Amino acid sequence: MVDRGTADELAKALRESIMRLNRRIRQARPVGDLTFSQLSALTSLQLAGALTPRELADVERVQPPTMTKIVGKLEERGLVKRTPHPTDGRQVILSATERGQAVHAEFEKARNEWLATQLAALAPEERQTLAQASEILQKISRA
């Protein structure tokens, strides 16, 4: 058990725990040929509704040429579509297709099922503690 007496120690322990949990949740996915980068881009489009390629690259924190490759693969699979930008004819808007939304939902379901299974194995008091921690983490993430 890590001494969580100082804010720095707590920050380190939380960061490490969140990173490990995030990694494990990312691994809980249906078998498929989407890479983590492709799934992340699809998730960003699902959450945002629609983005320009540049906006998507910024959200994903990758260079535009890298995003062009990712979007190309998603388009090949029929998961993403391009539509003309309403005010700038030089740009396009990217959005998830119905198939893309269904694939995203399948991945989300697999992740949620994995986490729900892990939570069900905990004692009720531990689940209550995590419920409270979740509210606090939401507050921190919005700061």
Side-chain angles (χ1 to χ4, degrees), residues 57-94:
D58 289 346
V59 167
E60 292 294 308
R61 297 179 184 217
V62 299
Q63 294 298 314
T66 300
M67 186 51 62
T68 298
K69 292 176 186 173
I70 292 169
V71 168
K73 294 292 185 183
L74 292 171
E75 281 183 298
E76 286 174 15
R77 291 171 173 82
L79 304 177
V80 169
K81 65 180 176 181
R82 294 174 188 254
T83 55
H85 193 283
T87 59
D88 186 346
R90 299 167 296 163
Q91 293 193 55
V92 295
I93 300 292
L94 302 171

